[in-house]
Amino acid sequence: MSTLRGAKRVIQDLKRHGYEAFIVGGAVRDYVLRQPLTDVDITTNAKPFQVAKLFKTKPTGLKYGTVTVFMGTETYEVTTYRIDGEYVDGRHPENVTYSESVMEDVMRRDFTINGLLMTESDEIIDHVEGRKDIERKLIRTIGNPLDRFNEDALRIMRAFYFQSKLGFQIDRDTRDAIAQMKDRLKDVSMERILVEMIKTLQGKYLKMAFQSMITTGVSKVLPGLHQGIEYTLSLDELPFVDVFFTLAFTLNGSVPSEWTFSNKHRHRYEIASALARDNKEIDAMMLYTYGIDLCLLANRVTYMLNRSKNRKTEIEALYQNLPIQSDLDLKLRATEIIKLANRKAGAWIKDIQTKMVIEVINRRLENNREALIEFVKTNLE
Ligand code: ATP
Ligand code: MG
């Protein structure tokens, strides 16, 4: 958490020790737009070790000249003025060079709307016509867009993120450069792309961003998302992150291996999109096997695709009424099955338990001791 008030205290302390410091980036942009601030970043000519002498700090990004300053209960990212070196592999700048000039620090930033500075007395300093672009609602790179996307193609994704968040247009030259440079996204790590994609999916103006991704051809560079992006444009309601990915991968036919989802999320999208593709009515056995979340996700997606009606309430009730949630709920323990069968433990136990589960879930067998004992006896012959 960080606030403007706290950031101003950090700036005052830095200035008292003879350094320059400004609030920079998203916080100034959102302040001008009277939008709620996320985090407040500070840029200064003080070097990280000098910042560390004045505050309680943690070295969060020393390679890039960033330290986190603790001020009361709040934290601030304080970064030394810098000029970025080459972005090798479109990852992070290979090396950063500190600068003595705030002007140079502003010029390395991505878009004019993110290049504003603010002093501790609320004065806005604008070296890049960022204010004008905020007024015109324009996303425009600082400097030549081809050069800037060439340095770091992730900025392409960031343009869409800001469009989705703010509802601004992307300036014509910037948009043309995106269309021209889109294949460079292949050099950017998928982790970084995914971060911006997820942020984009949470924006109020997602459809504008999706439209731009299509016009510039970027939708086709994002593995497996093109059809999902096109389809989303026809929807009245915006999909949540998980719903969007599941929808896209349902239409695509698979979850592309390039995406660096966590195992949990990859599993989620794989199962839910496979269920949605099969488009079978969710039944008790599917709920038992995959759980309520994945089944509801699949239902939501087939419904959005007009392939099924919305069976949410029905599915929830079906889940509530499952006779068992797991084979541990069977009223006959494995040890008792072994005794009854008079055989050594082995894979056969799992087999018979699975049979019991199927019968119980389908309500052809009651989950009570007597019925299950009877079932074991007849099924062991
Ligand atoms: P948000 O509201 O999402 O926090 P933000 O503008 O603060 O938006 P951050 O990702 O927090 O965005 O980055 C902070 C600032 O760092 C940006 O405003 C921009 O000036 C600069 N920046 C971030 N990423 C890049 C990049 N890839 N290239 C150039 N400048 C960047
Ligand atoms: Mg930020």
Side-chain angles (χ1 to χ4, degrees):
M1 241 286 281
S2 51
T3 59
L4 283 182
R5 170 124 57 90
K8 288 174 187 173
R9 275 182 60 197
V10 175
I11 292 176
Q12 278 162 355
D13 286 352
L14 283 162
K15 287 184 115 170
R16 213 167 329 113
H17 288 85
Y19 302 112
E20 296 175 16
F22 302 90
I23 299 169
V24 70
V28 189
R29 178 198 67 224
D30 292 342
Y31 171 80
V32 172
L33 281 165
R34 295 189 183 81
Q35 286 216 1
L37 309 183
T38 39
D39 43 19
V40 184
D41 296 319
I42 294 169
T43 187
T44 179
N45 63 347
K47 303 292 185 292
F49 79 92
Q50 294 169 319
V51 177
K53 272 191 192 159
L54 302 183
F55 306 95
K56 183 170 173 248
T57 59
K58 200 173 123 192
T60 35
L62 269 195
K63 258 167 85 186
Y64 313 110
T66 303
V67 292
T68 299
V69 168
F70 295 89
M71 187 51 110
T73 56
E74 286 148 17
T75 57
Y76 298 87
E77 302 249 293
V78 177
T79 305
T80 307
Y81 297 165
R82 56 178 226 220
I83 315 164
D84 290 350
E86 281 288 298
Y87 281 74
V88 173
D89 293 344
R91 279 163 202 273
H92 275 293
E94 185 69 347
N95 48 67
V96 300
T97 312
Y98 293 135
S99 164
E100 284 305 318
S101 131
V102 72
M103 180 76 174
E104 283 185 322
D105 184 75
V106 165
M107 300 312 278
R108 70 152 176 104
R109 293 173 182 274
D110 48 8
F111 302 106
T112 58
I113 58 171
N114 294 339
L116 296 173
L117 302 168
M118 186 159 113
T119 66
E120 79 281 15
S121 49
D122 287 349
E123 190 195 339
I124 308 257
I125 302 169
D126 183 2
H127 295 295
V128 291
E129 301 196 318
R131 275 201 107 144
K132 198 168 101 195
D133 285 341
I134 291 178
E135 269 159 39
R136 297 192 297 180
K137 296 183 184 290
L138 267 190
I139 297 159
R140 193 163 61 91
T141 56
I142 295 175
N144 180 322
L146 287 171
D147 294 344
R148 303 311 311 282
F149 293 136
N150 192 37
E151 279 168 11
D152 180 11
L154 182 74
R155 291 170 187 152
I156 291 175
M157 293 305 294
R158 289 179 57 84
F160 299 128
Y161 160 56
F162 291 115
Q163 183 162 46
S164 175
K165 175 181 166 114
L166 305 170
F168 288 13
Q169 294 294 337
I170 302 177
D171 185 63
R172 189 190 173 133
D173 287 349
T174 297
R175 203 178 53 217
D176 289 349
I178 290 176
Q180 202 176 319
M181 301 295 282
K182 59 178 184 297
D183 288 324
R184 293 295 305 277
L185 272 173
K186 294 194 173 108
D187 305 328
V188 178
S189 81
M190 289 304 281
E191 284 93 337
R192 292 181 80 206
I193 295 182
L194 184 57
V195 168
E196 299 302 325
M197 189 68 203
I198 290 172
K199 279 157 60 184
T200 303
L201 286 168
Q202 288 162 309
K204 219 163 104 186
Y205 304 92
L206 174 64
K207 281 194 185 185
M208 260 176 101
F210 273 5
Q211 187 56 63
S212 304
M213 287 186 192
I214 291 176
T215 333
T216 53
V218 169
S219 61
K220 292 204 168 151
V221 185
L222 302 172
L225 298 188
H226 176 72
Q227 296 171 82
I229 289 171
E230 270 202 323
Y231 193 84
T232 301
L233 287 179
S234 73
L235 296 172
D236 294 326
E237 205 182 328
L238 293 180
F240 292 116
V241 174
D242 274 0
V243 174
F244 170 74
F245 281 122
T246 306
L247 176 96
F249 299 142
T250 301
L251 292 169
N252 182 61
S254 66
V255 183
S257 58
E258 292 95 319
W259 289 108
T260 54
F261 297 120
S262 66
N263 287 338
K264 185 182 132 203
H265 281 91
R266 173 167 293 278
H267 176 258
R268 201 171 158 69
Y269 302 146
E270 269 168 1
I271 303 282
S273 66
L275 288 174
R277 261 193 310 280
D278 285 353
N279 199 15
K280 290 209 196 81
E281 224 175 70
I282 305 284
D283 61 21
M285 198 60 210
M286 283 151 105
L287 278 163
Y288 174 85
T289 310
Y290 303 114
I292 181 81
D293 278 6
L294 291 183
C295 290
L296 283 178
L297 185 53
N299 165 72
R300 172 116 213 105
V301 165
T302 50
Y303 170 58
M304 285 180 120
L305 288 169
N306 288 317
R307 295 180 186 179
S308 74
K309 56 179 184 145
N310 188 2
R311 296 181 61 244
K312 181 168 188 279
T313 337
E314 229 174 293
I315 292 170
E316 279 166 348
L318 198 55
Y319 185 74
Q320 286 305 313
N321 292 325
L322 283 183
I324 53 171
Q325 312 281 331
S326 103
D327 57 13
L328 294 174
D329 297 336
L330 287 174
K331 291 274 164 52
L332 190 66
R333 303 192 164 284
T335 48
E336 296 180 274
I337 300 178
I338 297 170
K339 258 194 225 149
L340 273 172
N342 201 14
R343 271 168 73 177
K344 266 219 232 125
W348 63 272
I349 300 173
K350 258 275 142 330
D351 292 345
I352 193 147
Q353 275 180 328
T354 305
K355 279 188 195 154
M356 281 180 355
V357 164
I358 294 172
E359 295 308 298
V360 169
I361 289 290
N362 289 311
R363 297 187 179 280
R364 295 186 291 254
L365 175 63
E366 274 207 59
N367 184 25
N368 65 53
R369 228 178 105 78
E370 294 71 40
L372 297 180
I373 289 175
E374 207 34 55
F375 183 84
V376 172
K377 284 181 181 161
T378 38
N379 278 273
L380 277 177
E381 259 96 73

